[in-house]
Amino acid sequence: MADNDALDPPALPPRVREHLAQQLRATYNQRSEKPDYLGDPGLPSAFDPQLRRLERRLKAQEAGAAAVAAALHGIGRSESGDA
């Protein structure tokens, strides 16, 4: 799989995605077996690639938001200093 997913905009609005994610987690938690011991993986290993991809996307989103915030903060400071 390519990492082109980071360039594709999400198909659903954030509120809809969060609602669906909550429903999915609730359904999965009801149907899943409880871990046998602390540290026992709660999800089947088949989900590992998707989870790693989701983690990468979330980290990239956080880094992008931080970069935009820093840039906007810098722009605001330079405009107020020039006036």
Side-chain angles (χ1 to χ4, degrees):
M1 290 194 130
D3 284 331
N4 292 337
D5 294 338
L7 303 176
D8 296 334
L12 299 172
R15 287 184 67 185
V16 174
R17 286 185 291 159
E18 181 58 31
H19 175 72
L20 292 174
Q22 287 175 355
Q23 288 183 333
L24 179 62
R25 285 190 296 269
T27 301
Y28 181 81
N29 287 334
Q30 289 174 355
R31 294 183 181 181
S32 68
E33 294 180 17
K34 301 302 177 205
D36 292 331
Y37 56 90
L38 185 61
D40 185 18
L43 293 173
S45 61
F47 288 117
D48 286 346
Q50 291 88 354
L51 290 173
R52 281 194 296 274
R53 193 173 84 206
L54 176 61
E55 287 174 354
R56 281 195 311 266
R57 289 182 80 173
L58 290 174
K59 286 180 183 177
Q61 182 179 3
E62 289 172 4
V68 169
L72 291 175
H73 182 69
I75 289 172
R77 283 188 4 192
S78 66
E79 287 179 359
S80 63
D82 291 341

